Amino acid sequence: MTIQRFETGPRMSQVVVHGDTIYLAGIVANTTAGESVTRQTQEVLSIIDSHLAKAGSDKSKLLTATIYLTDMKRFAEMNAVWDGWVSAGNTPARATVEVKLAAPKYAVEIMVTAAR
């Protein structure tokens, strides 16, 4: 089985495809970093949509999602965006954990696995 990598750098690839499984690196906001959890979550989910499309998939084929929040008090705020984005009837297995992220400007990071 072949392995494809997209947006590959010296440390990691943003997208790795093995067979019909797509693995995304943890995604953080670029332009909205430092803004609200709502804005960051919107941007992160948009990036996920883009990465999945590059790999020949979409959010209806999500298998798993891991969401990292710097403050669980923002759980409902993040979920409001997530619930409006996720494909109804195709919700993935999911975990949400509170963490310290790579830089204080990041409030949310999301990592997903999807089928093609």
Side-chain angles (χ1 to χ4, degrees), residues 2-68:
T2 62
I3 298 173
Q4 293 177 287
R5 299 173 198 280
F6 300 91
E7 296 189 36
T8 300
R11 181 170 295 139
M12 61 187 238
S13 296
Q14 290 297 309
V15 182
V16 176
V17 180
H18 180 251
D20 287 328
T21 306
I22 302 161
Y23 304 90
L24 269 58
I27 307 297
V28 294
N30 297 315
T31 60
T32 60
E35 295 183 28
S36 69
V37 168
T38 295
R39 296 271 295 131
Q40 288 189 45
T41 303
Q42 290 167 336
E43 182 183 356
V44 167
L45 296 176
S46 177
I47 294 167
I48 289 171
D49 281 333
S50 176
H51 285 335
L52 291 175
K54 285 178 201 171
S57 189
D58 61 62
K59 63 187 172 187
S60 72
K61 297 177 181 149
L62 289 178
L63 301 172
T64 65
T66 304
I67 301 171
Y68 304 97

Side-chain angles (χ1 to χ4, degrees), residues 72-91:
M72 272 301 190
K73 292 176 188 162
R74 301 290 178 230
F75 186 69
E77 184 180 351
M78 179 278 303
N79 270 332
V81 178
W82 175 271
D83 291 345
W85 173 82
V86 75
S87 177
N90 298 305
T91 53

